[in-house]
Amino acid sequence: QVQLQESGPGLVKPSQTLSLTCIVSGGSITTSAYYWTWMRQPPGKGLEWMGAIGFAGSTYYSPSLKSRTSISRDTSKNQFTLQLSSVTPEDTAVYYCARGTSRSLYNMDRDAYDYWGQGTQVTVSS
């Protein structure tokens, strides 16, 4: 059973960089054909696909967030990390990590993912 767990600060000040880590257990992030994804859901809005890192280390970003987003991984710890720079209150959301395949790239359909973290609330406020 694959499990994903988001970790990171719940409160970030405007203009700072948000950093979240997704710790994966029960399966390797280097296993072929899987893509490890970050998504978020602002209050009262739908899911937004942010980016992903593939099993071989390639990265994919939402065009609207690409200039502020970086996703990396630490294969020795079996985890991957989201960094979102220059945050504003509009970045307040529940942030999720999830596992998908190539069909999940740029895809906000929950059915495209087989495992999810429980989500972590991040609030951007001074």
Side-chain angles (χ1 to χ4, degrees):
Q1 177 82 358
V2 175
Q3 293 184 315
L4 293 85
Q5 176 72 54
E6 303 93 348
S7 67
L11 181 65
V12 182
K13 288 181 166 39
S15 82
Q16 290 187 340
T17 295
L18 178 163
S19 183
L20 295 173
T21 295
C22 183
I23 301 166
V24 180
S25 59
S28 172
I29 62 172
T30 62
T31 298
S32 181
Y34 289 118
Y35 293 77
W36 304 89
T37 305
W38 285 102
M39 284 177 283
R40 66 182 182 179
Q41 186 165 20
K45 298 183 179 180
L47 270 177
E48 179 181 17
W49 191 91
M50 299 182 70
I53 187 164
F55 59 96
S58 297
T59 52
Y60 309 83
Y61 299 110
S62 166
S64 64
L65 295 170
K66 185 175 183 178
S67 64
R68 298 196 291 131
T69 307
S70 177
I71 298 175
S72 60
R73 67 180 187 173
D74 185 335
T75 57
S76 67
K77 295 181 180 179
N78 210 40
Q79 63 188 38
F80 60 106
T81 297
L82 169 73
Q83 291 192 307
L84 182 67
S85 63
S86 305
V87 297
T88 71
E90 285 66 41
D91 294 308
T92 294
V94 177
Y95 285 75
Y96 297 93
C97 57
R99 189 183 82 167
T101 62
S102 59
R103 81 176 186 99
S104 65
L105 292 176
Y106 308 100
N107 191 342
M108 293 176 286
D109 184 351
R110 287 183 178 270
D111 290 341
Y113 304 89
D114 56 359
Y115 291 102
W116 291 75
Q118 84 283 1
T120 187
Q121 173 71 46
V122 176
T123 301
V124 179
S125 175
S126 56

